[in-house]
């Protein structure tokens, strides 16, 4: 087990280094000069532009070669310093990210967990009930093929603009300030439902189809037929089939995390939700190198940690994995 953890940890560390290096390089390969955009927004006099350019170039560390900027980036990262936002100078990147992170997590975590649980349950039922299967299968295919952003636009148009059931943008009413009051909680929940639904429904369709197909496969497997021939209760056979079918779904969950996070980013933009998605859009528009780096660093770290946890959990969930590790030892 220790050797397995060490090998997995090394793979994830290497993946982290490559991903963060790409994260550092991509903003710098984008066209445009962030310093000039910052000075243009300040509407400085022409005589002061040269002095301001030199000041901000040195302040953000752009006055040294790229290779040294890269080393300085890693040195600062190991000290927990993500730098200062260029567009929101002198606000720190960490402050901006931690301000937006709760909104993104409040969408992502429930959408991932609830869609996984509900999709697998409904898919398992559809595999055994013809009437339900005739509904779940086509609906699931439509949902899983639908981009989250497009579904979010449709939900906003129908339920917010046309019927005015839910608010169309923001995380709470503009007349309120975040607080632990019932009024704020009610407003937050009303703004949360549409972006959550866009993420939940698309993921739900994929999990339902996957579990439905896996249950059918498992119920036709040799061990299921053997148990049935021995006179085992149908409920017991289905329970074994569900547990075996769940293993590929857990693997799929690890692979799908990146896509779900990307979907959450674009959904937040659709609903002007003040999470990491909206923050990312502003950072890209303003060529805010340090904010882009910080946001994607959080996303990269979160996805890798979640995948690592799922990898370790899989060892305990699937006994065959433990047996294989012992045999290899």
């Amino acid at each position: 087990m220790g050797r397995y953890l060490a090998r997995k940890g090394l793979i994830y560390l290497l993946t982290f280094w490559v991903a963060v290096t790409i994260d550092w390089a991509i903003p710098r390969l984008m066209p445009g000069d962030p310093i000039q955009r910052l000075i243009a927004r300040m509407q400085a006099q022409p005589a002061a532009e040269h002095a301001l350019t030199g000041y901000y170039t040195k302040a953000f560390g752009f006055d040294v070669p790229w290779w040294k900027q890269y080393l300085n980036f890693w040195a600062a990262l190991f000290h927990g310093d993500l730098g200062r936002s260029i567009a929101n100078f002198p606000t720190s990147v960490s402050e901006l990210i931690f301000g937006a992170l709760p909104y993104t997590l409040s969408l992502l975590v429930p959408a991932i967990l609830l869609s996984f649980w509900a999709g697998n349950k409904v898919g398992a039922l559809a595999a055994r009930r013809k009437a339900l299967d005739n509904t779940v299968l086509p609906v699931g295919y439509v949902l899983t093929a639908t981009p989250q952003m497009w579904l979010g636009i449709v939900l906003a148009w129908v339920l917010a603009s046309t019927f005015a059931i839910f608010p169309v943008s923001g995380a709470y009413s503009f007349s309120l300030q975040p607080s632990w009051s019932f009024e704020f909680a009610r407003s937050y929940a009303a703004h949360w439902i549409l972006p959550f639904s866009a993420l939940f429904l698309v993921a739900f369709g994929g999990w339902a189809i996957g579990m439905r197909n896996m249950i059918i496969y498992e119920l036709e497997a040799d061990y299921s037929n053997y148990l049935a021939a021995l006179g085992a209760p149908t409920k017991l056979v289905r329970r074994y089939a569900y547990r075996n079918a769940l293993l590929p779904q857990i693997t799929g969950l690890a692979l799908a995390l990146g896509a779900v996070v990307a979907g959450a980013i674009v959904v937040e933009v659709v609903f002007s939700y003040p999470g990491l998605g909206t923050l990312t859009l502003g950072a890209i528009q303003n060529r805010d190198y340090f904010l882009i780096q910080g946001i994607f660093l959080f996303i990269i770290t979160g996805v890798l940690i979640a995948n690592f946890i799922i990898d370790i959990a899989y060892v305990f969930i699937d006994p065959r994995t433990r047996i294989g590790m012992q045999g290899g030892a």
Side-chain angles (χ1 to χ4, degrees):
M1 183 66 176
R3 187 180 300 174
Y4 174 82
L5 289 175
R7 185 170 66 251
K8 280 290 182 181
L10 183 61
I11 292 172
Y12 277 97
L13 283 175
L14 180 61
T15 304
F16 176 78
W17 173 73
V18 173
V20 172
T21 299
I22 295 173
D23 173 37
W24 175 86
I26 285 179
R28 288 162 174 77
L29 298 175
M30 294 168 56
D33 188 340
I35 301 298
Q36 294 304 317
R37 292 179 70 91
L38 173 63
I39 295 174
R41 286 199 307 272
M42 296 172 62
Q43 298 181 348
Q45 296 296 324
E49 286 186 6
H50 180 73
L52 288 172
T53 300
Y55 169 76
Y56 285 116
T57 299
K58 187 175 182 179
F60 291 115
F62 297 147
D63 58 333
V64 296
W66 278 33
W67 64 269
K68 194 168 184 179
Q69 291 183 37
Y70 179 71
L71 295 179
N72 291 339
F73 164 72
W74 278 105
L77 186 60
F78 283 125
H79 287 87
D81 181 13
L82 299 179
R84 301 279 173 180
S85 169
I86 297 175
N88 302 278
F89 185 80
T91 307
S92 68
V93 169
S94 299
E95 183 179 345
L96 292 172
I97 290 176
F98 284 120
L101 191 61
Y103 295 102
T104 297
L105 291 180
S106 69
L107 287 179
L108 271 178
V109 175
I112 292 172
L113 296 181
L114 291 178
S115 65
F116 184 78
W117 176 81
N120 286 319
K121 290 294 184 182
V122 173
L125 289 174
R128 307 193 304 266
R129 299 179 182 177
K130 185 72 173 177
L132 182 60
D133 188 34
N134 291 336
T135 302
V136 169
L137 191 60
V139 171
Y141 277 124
V142 170
L143 288 176
T144 194
T146 303
Q148 292 100 329
M149 180 178 65
W150 184 85
L151 182 58
I153 293 173
V154 172
L155 292 175
W157 173 55
V158 175
L159 298 178
S161 297
T162 304
F163 295 102
I165 299 175
F166 298 104
V168 70
S169 65
Y172 49 86
S173 175
F174 295 114
S175 62
L176 298 175
Q177 292 293 328
S179 63
W180 296 105
S181 65
F182 175 76
E183 184 180 6
F184 176 79
R186 183 177 60 182
S187 177
Y188 185 88
H191 286 76
W192 174 84
I193 289 177
L194 289 185
F196 164 78
S197 299
L199 294 172
F200 171 83
L201 290 173
V202 173
F204 170 84
W207 296 128
I209 291 174
M211 178 55 77
R212 179 256 183 196
N213 294 337
M214 288 304 305
I215 286 290
I216 292 175
Y217 173 81
E218 294 294 337
L219 289 176
E220 294 176 354
D222 291 340
Y223 76 88
S224 295
N225 294 327
Y226 181 69
L227 285 174
L230 291 177
T234 303
K235 188 176 181 180
L236 178 64
V237 177
R238 290 175 176 175
R239 185 185 306 161
Y240 276 111
Y242 181 81
R243 290 177 61 183
N244 287 333
L246 193 60
L247 296 176
Q249 293 290 85
I250 294 175
T251 303
L253 176 61
L255 297 175
L257 283 176
V260 175
V261 171
I265 289 177
V266 295
V267 166
E268 286 182 3
V269 173
V270 169
F271 291 98
S272 298
Y273 207 73
L276 293 181
T278 304
L279 197 64
T280 301
L281 178 63
I284 294 173
Q285 290 173 337
N286 293 304
R287 309 295 190 271
D288 196 336
Y289 293 174
F290 301 105
L291 186 53
I292 295 173
Q293 289 172 186
I295 292 171
F296 283 105
L297 177 65
F298 264 79
I299 294 174
I300 291 165
T301 304
V303 171
L304 287 177
I305 290 175
N307 273 270
F308 184 73
I309 292 173
I310 293 173
D311 267 351
I312 301 305
Y314 201 89
V315 175
F316 296 98
I317 294 172
D318 189 356
R320 294 170 298 184
T321 307
R322 296 196 296 275
I323 294 173
M325 290 168 57
Q326 293 170 359

